[in-house]
Amino acid sequence: MAKAIPIILSIDTSCDETAASVTRGFEVLSNVLSSQISIHKEFGGVVPSLAKIAHKDKIDYVVNLALKRSGLKLSEIDCFAVTFGPGLAIALEVGIKKAQELARENRKPLIAINHMEGHLFSSLATPPLKNGINLNSFEDYEKTLFPLIGFLISGGHTELVYAKNFKSLYKIGETLDDSAGEAFDKCGRMLGLGYPAGPLITRFAKDNRKNVSIKKIKKNQSNLVELMNKRDKSIYSLPIPMLNSGDLNFSFSGLKTAFSQIVQNIDELTKNEIYNLSSLLEASIIEQLSSKLKKSIEMYEVRSVLLGGGVIASAKVRSYLRNSISNSINLKYPYNKRLTGDNAGMIGIVGFIKFATYGFQHNPEKGIYLKDYNEIDREPSLEFGNI
Ligand code: KG4
Ligand code: ZN
């Protein structure tokens, strides 16, 4: 007889992390990843062919370690889940192949998961508890959570999603060019900070807090953030794009251009200037993110806001987003840093949601369960549509 709460072994190889995890309902029993940052660092971004080689090299290791850390045996796994996309095709392929192999050999279902849905629901994950969620109370749980807005801020995406329930998800805003994470990374590269630069920039901005004052100003009909260094009185300003766009979309490429002009005009980048520019860049990105979240809450009445994606690792981003919305809204973000960036734990969470919502049947309509383990011909989509 099937157990009430399924134990799911999940795999994600969508980009530059080889990841495997074991989850029981919303409980994360293990969440292992092998990062390729050191491999891609010298190229300033992810090189797909190298990513594939590294995934192949590490996939067995991370799967075995995830099992070992969960304290469970392979025979105790009820179901397998794997990221189908979006991501780098040749990287995804490695995880999909491994998951097919495991499901076939162990005669267990295989669930295909959309990576963005993983980021969207990553904040629902909990540490291991004695009593996880009871399936009988799943509908009540759903009612206390929805309707909600999901805010996905990563290196690949910047998206706002409105969801009425676990089945109905609607994309209400997205970036027209670069993502917020890319803005951090590309501008950080101009400062010589290596890849990924987001964590360093937010750290420099934090260390610099006492030395600078930052304010929002309006000049010639455009919104700017202006930084003044209290000691040397140097002043820099950057635009805050899209504040008056009237919609929930984002844009970061103009910011990147403005940032490169400032950098080019500085003869020699001193440590102090790198700190100033980090503070300023962070302020502009956060202003755009919080103003769009605030606007989305004005447009849609929601109970909760779920944050996900690598950029959410920044405590400052989280606290500004918290302050931009009413206290009556339940704001959730992943309980640990590993769940913010790419990981397989979040894939297991969505696997459980699919199980609780649709059951364990083959559902070709939804592209969710794969009866035939070779039948991987389409990416399950986040059914985005018009509300
Ligand atoms: O979610 P993620 O690991 O990868 C994608 O699916 O894209 O996000 C990676 C992005 C990178 O752009 C990185 O610079 C950014 O998240 N990031 C941060 C921080 N930690 C990671 N950005 C700002 N502050 C951080 N602490
Ligand atoms: Zn991701």
Side-chain angles (χ1 to χ4, degrees), residues 115 119 154-156 181-182 184-185 196-199 202 309-311 313-314 340-342:
H115 180 81
H119 281 304
S154 72
E182 263 176 308
F184 274 118
D185 295 340
T202 52
V311 177
S314 156
T340 60
D342 290 347

Side-chain angles (χ1 to χ4, degrees), residues 67-111:
L67 258 181
K68 189 172 164 203
R69 289 198 181 155
S70 72
L72 298 170
K73 294 194 229 47
L74 196 51
S75 57
E76 292 173 277
I77 301 295
D78 298 309
C79 164
F80 296 88
V82 66
T83 298
F84 253 47
L88 299 169
I90 62 171
L92 287 161
E93 208 176 87
V94 179
I96 294 171
K97 216 169 138 219
K98 180 71 191 172
Q100 285 173 316
E101 199 181 286
L102 283 164
R104 194 184 300 119
E105 281 170 9
N106 293 282
R107 298 176 179 278
K108 296 283 163 64
L110 173 61
I111 315 181

Side-chain angles (χ1 to χ4, degrees), residues 3-31:
K3 285 178 220 159
I5 302 278
I7 295 169
I8 304 182
L9 191 153
S10 311
I11 294 175
D12 183 295
T13 58
S14 56
C15 191
D16 58 348
E17 320 274 4
T18 316
S21 153
V22 178
T23 48
R24 178 172 49 216
F26 288 126
E27 297 172 63
V28 180
L29 305 183
S30 66
N31 196 9

Side-chain angles (χ1 to χ4, degrees), residues 365-380:
E365 294 278 294
K366 302 277 174 206
I368 295 166
Y369 297 108
L370 304 160
K371 195 162 55 183
D372 174 350
Y373 304 123
N374 293 315
E375 184 197 317
I376 293 191
D377 53 3
R378 70 192 198 99
E379 185 180 302

